[in-house]
Amino acid sequence: MKIRLHAGRLLTSFAVGLTVLTFGISTARAAENHLDTVTKRGTLLCGTDNTTPGFGYLNTKTGKMEGMDVDLCRAVAAAVLGDASKVQFVVVTDKSRFNALRTGQADVVFAHTTVTPTRESAVGVSFLPITFYDGTGLLVKSSLKAKHVGDLNGATICTTQGSGTEVMWAGYLKAHNWKASTKVLTYQDTDKLFAALNSGRCDVMSTDKSALAGWKGNASDPKAFDILPETLDKSPLAGFTSNEDPKWHAALTWVIYATFEAEEHGITSKNLSTFLKTTDPYIAKFLGVTGTFGKDFGIQPDFVQKVISSVGNYGEIYDRNIGPNTPYSIQRKGSLNAAWNEGGLLYSPPWY
C-alpha cells in the first residue's frame, strides 16, 4: 500500500484493522491543553513515518504499522488513555512533520527526528528524551565498489527533503571542496530515496545509519548493498511535542523515561505482575502501586504499568523492532544505545 501526503486535504487509508491518516497543511491550531483534548477525543493522533523499516513502517503484508517509533506512539496512548490501540497514525515526511504538529493535526510526533537547537528555537518544538543515538551514513550498491566517503567525490547523492542530512551535505561539500559535478538530489521519503538508489538515479543514499540498515535488511538481496564505515555527523533521535503546552510535554517525557527505568530494574511485559507484589517502596512508587505520579501528571494512575504491559520496556521495544532477531540486527551491546549501567547513554532520572 502506498500512502502519500497531499497538501491542503486529508487522505484516509484503511488497512487491516488500522486507520492511517495523512495530513497536509491546515489552519487549525494545536489545543492549549493536550491532556484534556486527547482524553475527550479518546484517540491519540501520533505523527510517524511509514517508510522507515524498524522505526516507522507500513507492513504491506500485514496491513499494520510497525517499528520503534510506532511502539512509542502506542506507549503514549497506553499511558494517557489506558489503551495502546487508541492511536491514529498521522503519516508525516521529513518536510511535513513539524507542520503536522504545529497545526494541531498531531498531538506528538515520533518520526526519526534529530534533536537540534534550531528546531527547539526557531521551529518551536520541545523534544522528548532521546530514544536512539544515530549518525548520518552512506548506502551504496556493492557494484560501485566504494569503500569510503572519499570515493564518492563527484557522485550523485540522494537524501530526504527537509531533513538535517540535506543541510549537512550542503555544508560538507563546501567544507571538503568536492568536485562541482557532485550532486545532491532530494526526495519526499526514504521509500522514494531507496527506489532512486535502486534504479541508478543516485549513486548514494544518505540518511541516518539505522534507516540505511533497515532498507538494506529489507532489500530482496541485502548483499547487493554496502553501508560505508563513516558516520558523518551526530543524529540523536527523539519524539517531540509543541512547546506551547509544558504539562503535556512533561507527562510524555516521563512516559519515555518509564521504558528506560523498567529495563534498568528488569521489569518486562512478562514479569510485570510479579513486580506489582514488591515490598520495595521505590519500585512500588514507580509502578503506581503507591504514590501519585499519574495523578500529578494528569494521566492514568497506573500509566507505567499500562506502558510496560502494552509495549514492554525499552529493551523489549528495541529487540522486537531492530534487534538481533530482526532483518536489521542493529547492534546495541557496546553502543551508545545501551543502558547507562552497561556503558551506554540511555538513562532515566530517579523516580522520587
Side-chain angles (χ1 to χ4, degrees):
M1 179 183 295
K2 299 292 185 181
I3 299 176
R4 295 291 179 261
L5 188 71
H6 293 261
R9 69 185 182 90
L10 170 67
L11 174 66
T12 306
S13 176
F14 294 92
V16 178
L18 170 73
T19 302
V20 180
L21 302 180
T22 62
F23 289 95
I25 298 172
S26 81
T27 57
R29 293 297 299 166
E32 290 184 2
N33 190 330
H34 263 109
L35 282 169
D36 288 346
T37 299
V38 174
T39 301
K40 290 176 182 177
R41 187 195 303 131
T43 304
L44 177 77
L45 301 179
C46 194
T48 193
D49 188 10
N50 71 339
T51 65
T52 304
F55 287 85
Y57 188 65
L58 178 62
N59 187 325
T60 55
K61 294 180 180 178
T62 64
K64 296 181 179 180
M65 291 284 284
E66 58 187 38
M68 283 190 69
D69 287 340
V70 170
D71 275 350
L72 293 175
C73 287
R74 292 183 172 126
V76 172
V80 176
L81 299 171
D83 187 341
S85 70
K86 291 184 177 180
V87 57
Q88 290 180 317
F89 297 103
V90 181
V91 178
V92 297
T93 64
D94 285 355
K95 190 174 182 179
S96 71
R97 54 191 163 180
F98 300 113
N99 272 334
L101 182 70
R102 281 198 306 263
T103 56
Q105 297 163 2
D107 303 309
V108 60
V109 175
F110 293 98
H112 222 246
T113 303
T114 302
V115 178
T116 70
T118 301
R119 289 168 174 171
E120 284 212 313
S121 57
V123 176
V125 301
S126 292
F127 282 102
L128 300 171
I130 294 166
T131 51
F132 193 86
Y133 289 88
D134 210 342
T136 299
L138 305 153
L139 180 69
V140 299
K141 285 186 176 180
S142 302
S143 58
L144 189 64
K145 300 189 182 303
K147 300 299 181 184
H148 296 280
V149 63
D151 299 333
L152 305 175
N153 194 344
T156 299
I157 301 161
C158 290
T159 190
T160 47
Q161 298 169 358
S163 66
T165 308
E166 181 182 5
V167 176
M168 185 280 298
W169 271 111
Y172 189 93
L173 299 184
K174 291 181 180 179
H176 293 81
N177 197 29
W178 274 25
K179 298 175 183 177
S181 58
T182 306
K183 297 178 182 178
V184 177
L185 303 180
T186 62
Y187 291 86
Q188 177 177 293
D189 53 43
T190 54
D191 192 356
K192 286 188 172 68
L193 192 55
F194 186 73
L197 174 67
N198 216 16
S199 68
R201 293 194 299 275
C202 303
D203 300 308
V204 188
M205 175 178 175
S206 184
T207 187
D208 296 323
K209 277 192 164 183
S210 59
L212 299 180
W215 277 106
K216 175 179 166 69
N218 222 35
S220 57
D221 181 12
K223 294 181 180 179
F225 300 93
D226 294 322
I227 298 175
L228 300 191
E230 288 86 0
T231 300
L232 301 184
D233 70 353
K234 296 174 286 186
S235 296
L237 307 179
F240 56 92
T241 68
S242 167
N243 64 5
E244 296 176 352
D245 190 345
K247 185 177 181 180
W248 175 245
H249 180 265
L252 269 57
T253 291
W254 288 90
V255 170
I256 302 303
Y257 280 145
T259 66
F260 300 169
E261 187 77 359
E263 181 181 27
E264 180 177 338
H265 292 284
I267 305 172
T268 71
S269 57
K270 295 180 179 179
N271 65 18
L272 174 61
S273 60
T274 300
F275 278 90
L276 292 177
K277 303 172 185 177
T278 184
T279 57
D280 183 332
Y282 181 91
I283 298 297
K285 190 173 183 180
F286 167 62
L287 293 175
V289 176
T290 61
T292 61
F293 285 143
K295 179 181 177 181
D296 295 341
F297 283 125
I299 57 179
Q300 302 288 316
D302 57 350
F303 77 96
V304 173
Q305 297 177 42
K306 295 291 187 183
V307 170
I308 297 170
S309 63
S310 299
V311 300
N313 64 34
Y314 180 85
E316 290 178 279
I317 295 170
Y318 188 104
D319 288 345
R320 178 167 58 246
N321 292 296
I322 59 174
N325 294 323
T326 69
Y328 323 121
S329 192
I330 300 176
Q331 179 64 259
R332 189 181 179 206
K333 185 177 181 180
S335 77
L336 299 180
N337 293 302
W340 70 277
N341 53 0
E342 295 183 356
L345 296 180
L346 290 178
Y347 184 103
S348 170
W351 288 68
Y352 297 142

